[in-house]
Amino acid sequence: MRLRRSLIDVTPLRTSPVFRRLLIGRTVSVLGGFMTMVTVMYQVWDMTRSTAWTGAVGLAQALPLVVFGLFAGAWVDRADRRRVYLAATVGQAACSLLLAVQGFTGHVPVVVVLALVAVQSSFGALGAPAAGVFVPRLLPPEQVPAGLALNAVTGQTMMLLGPALAGVLLGRLGIGACYLLDALSFGLAFYGAFGLPALPPEGEPSRAGVRGVLDGLRFLAGHRVVRGALITDLAATVLSFPASLFPLVNAERFGDDPRTLGLFLSALAVGGVTASALSGSLTRLGRPGAVMLCASGTWGAALVLFGLATDPWAGLALLVLAGAADATAVVSRSTIVQTRTPDALLGRVTAAEQIVGQAGPSLGNARGGLVAGFSSGATALVSGGLMCVLAVAAVATATPELRERAEGLAVPETP
């Protein structure tokens, strides 16, 4: 019985056919998205042989989310979220089809590829805040953490499978076929959301333009629990995100073995999948704030120890632990955001959460690279992990509401 409660809670899949269909469509679409991410990087490198251009792919994906995210959230809070999501899905599918066409025909300038990626990311910036309201509107409050954990475990699993599958298909079918498969995957995402009921905002709709954005920012500034959750995520990513340091640490500590380097990111993903699959006890606990704080502190501590590790297997084990802590923190943070935010503001707050999740790792990679440039990779890891732990402790001290039980989320024991 104890093992059963530790496994991920699949109650939403049993009780909500609408959520089940939505999750299947989302999972297939996420798989296609990771395939396209790898395919774009491969194509741009093949066209240019320039790391500057491959770096520009990341900018094309991130900038639309950062620039348009809050305005998209304000629009979502004035409209039927279902229709917005369906329109955004069609837009993303059209961009994938255009990428497939240029992949089959060839001879397209690299800036055209990047422009299509940026437009697709803009549609994603619109669809993400709309999708952010689905789980709390489709499931009862006590099942929301389990629904978010199911989203997390499927997403982490696709992050493991997608790049590997893209590598196989690129060699056998080519660039155009990979883009085409991504376009088809959006069809399942569309089907999954098509059967949803209308989901207009509950309460006063958002004001148009900048005023609606400012209303969302005022809510974030004034709600201590939601604000504390986002600050904790920023502390974990900006202060200690480790990906940019992996090549240097691998050279400093582990003999510059490319096999070890390749396992570093996989270790984070393995930890994330494992933690999500064993999230049942935590999602039933009804204390997402306390879980998030503990998990974020564990993330920082694991990276400190990774920075000190000299054995590659110990280092990989610590990265698995860090990945598990990160996935747990993400599910808990999303639970806080989606259960503590009024529905009329949820699009804007979800957009802010998406921006934090996108910008935080990028800034963290930049911070790590700068610190390592005048010290070492190990120093950047250890200092960043320590700052993360201290920042999380400061948030926990300044926001005692985060440590309290969230009413309506705890699932009672079953005999």
Side-chain angles (χ1 to χ4, degrees), residues 61-145:
Q61 293 168 332
L63 282 179
L65 181 61
V66 174
V67 173
F68 302 122
L70 289 177
F71 290 96
W75 185 21
V76 164
D77 284 337
R78 301 179 63 225
D80 178 359
R81 281 76 174 262
R82 170 184 172 272
R83 289 188 177 183
V84 171
Y85 179 80
L86 291 175
T89 301
V90 171
Q92 289 177 287
C95 290
S96 288
L97 279 174
L98 291 174
L99 284 168
V101 170
Q102 65 83 31
F104 284 123
T105 59
H107 309 296
V108 173
V110 67
V111 293
V112 174
V113 178
L114 293 181
L116 287 172
V117 170
V119 173
Q120 187 175 56
S121 182
S122 299
F123 280 115
L126 179 62
V133 308
F134 291 163
V135 172
R137 289 286 290 271
L138 296 176
L139 300 176
E142 68 275 7
Q143 291 183 21
V144 168

Side-chain angles (χ1 to χ4, degrees), residues 25 35 42 49 73 109 158 170 185 248 251 289 291 313 323 402-403:
M35 289 175 57
Y42 175 83
R49 298 293 169 175
M158 294 307 102
L170 278 170
S185 76
L248 179 57
V291 171
W313 292 109
L402 271 173
R403 307 193 302 267

Side-chain angles (χ1 to χ4, degrees), residues 238-239 241 244-245 363-373 375-377 380-381:
V238 173
L239 297 177
F241 200 76
S244 65
L245 300 171
L363 292 173
N365 278 329
R367 182 215 68 89
L370 289 174
V371 174
S375 58
S376 67
L381 276 169

Side-chain angles (χ1 to χ4, degrees), residues 144-233:
V144 168
L148 295 174
L150 287 165
N151 277 339
V153 72
T154 53
Q156 292 275 356
T157 303
M158 294 307 102
M159 185 172 71
L160 277 174
L161 296 179
L165 183 59
V168 173
L169 295 179
L170 278 170
R172 295 187 176 182
L173 302 178
I175 291 171
C178 287
Y179 289 134
L180 182 60
L181 288 173
D182 183 32
L184 294 175
S185 76
F186 283 113
L188 277 177
F190 186 94
Y191 168 75
F194 188 77
L196 294 176
L199 295 171
E202 295 179 343
E204 184 178 354
S206 168
R207 295 191 290 176
V210 176
R211 292 181 300 172
V213 172
L214 292 176
D215 290 339
L217 293 176
R218 276 192 287 270
F219 170 81
L220 286 174
H223 197 293
R224 289 168 56 83
V225 173
V226 175
R227 183 184 66 208
L230 295 185
I231 290 174
T232 301
D233 185 66

Side-chain angles (χ1 to χ4, degrees), residues 37-81:
M37 180 183 70
V38 173
T39 304
V40 169
M41 295 291 286
Y42 175 83
Q43 182 182 7
V44 170
W45 172 255
D46 186 58
M47 294 170 72
T48 65
R49 298 293 169 175
S50 167
T51 55
W53 280 109
T54 55
V57 173
L59 288 177
Q61 293 168 332
L63 282 179
L65 181 61
V66 174
V67 173
F68 302 122
L70 289 177
F71 290 96
W75 185 21
V76 164
D77 284 337
R78 301 179 63 225
D80 178 359
R81 281 76 174 262

